[in-house]
């Protein structure tokens, strides 16, 4: 069985300019507060009440991710949401190469990594 891959901020930073799909699943208020990692797509999964529109999110996800074995890096605040979403994608949809930013944006910022505001 496949499991989510933990990537450190240094490992993610090395992949920023590669043709890797990075998806930040946080909310708009979080994007505005910290910015996002360069080249990350903003695709909120859970709203502030923990609700999600899975059908719409999966439709948008499938526009970016062209195959089940393509490397995808998920990003959230502390890596809790991304672990849940990764497990969902692996177990329910058969994706085999899902990674997430270990420690989330909190860890990224703590290590002094750059973000962009857009």
């Amino acid at each position: 069985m496949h499991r989510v891959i933990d990537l450190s901020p240094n490992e993610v930073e090395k992949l920023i300019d590669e043709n890797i799909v990075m998806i930040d699943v946080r909310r708009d208020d979080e994007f505005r507060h910290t910015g996002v990692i360069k080249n990350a797509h903003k695709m909120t999964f859970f709203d502030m009440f923990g609700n999600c529109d899975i059908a719409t999110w999966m439709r948008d996800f499938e526009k970016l991710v062209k195959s089940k074995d393509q490397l995808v890096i998920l990003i959230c605040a502390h890596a809790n949401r991304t672990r849940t979403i990764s497990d969902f994608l692996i177990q329910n949809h058969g994706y085999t190469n899902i990674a997430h930013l270990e420690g989330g944006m909190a860890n990224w910022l703590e290590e002094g990594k750059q973000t962009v505001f857009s």
Side-chain angles (χ1 to χ4, degrees), residues 48-74:
M48 64 188 303
F49 303 106
N51 300 313
C52 59
D53 179 350
I54 293 174
T56 299
W57 194 88
M58 284 303 300
R59 185 189 68 231
D60 294 341
F61 180 83
E62 290 167 353
K63 288 178 186 173
L64 296 172
V65 181
K66 302 301 181 193
S67 74
K68 301 266 184 184
D69 61 351
Q70 180 178 351
L71 176 60
V72 178
I73 302 172
L74 299 177

Side-chain angles (χ1 to χ4, degrees), residues 4-18:
V4 61
I5 303 161
D6 296 320
L7 294 178
S8 71
N10 286 335
E11 290 170 310
V12 171
E13 187 174 49
K14 290 175 186 172
L15 296 170
I16 285 176
D17 292 319
E18 301 296 320

Side-chain angles (χ1 to χ4, degrees), residues 71-117:
L71 176 60
V72 178
I73 302 172
L74 299 177
I75 302 158
C76 71
H78 300 281
N80 296 318
R81 284 172 278 186
T82 53
R83 186 164 299 283
T84 300
I85 297 164
S86 296
D87 289 343
F88 167 75
L89 291 169
I90 291 166
Q91 294 170 13
N92 295 41
H93 292 277
Y95 287 90
T96 61
N97 207 4
I98 304 292
H100 74 146
L101 173 60
E102 191 173 45
M105 285 300 287
N107 194 21
W108 180 267
L109 295 170
E110 189 174 287
E111 292 196 14
K113 305 295 185 191
Q114 296 297 309
T115 61
V116 295
F117 291 84

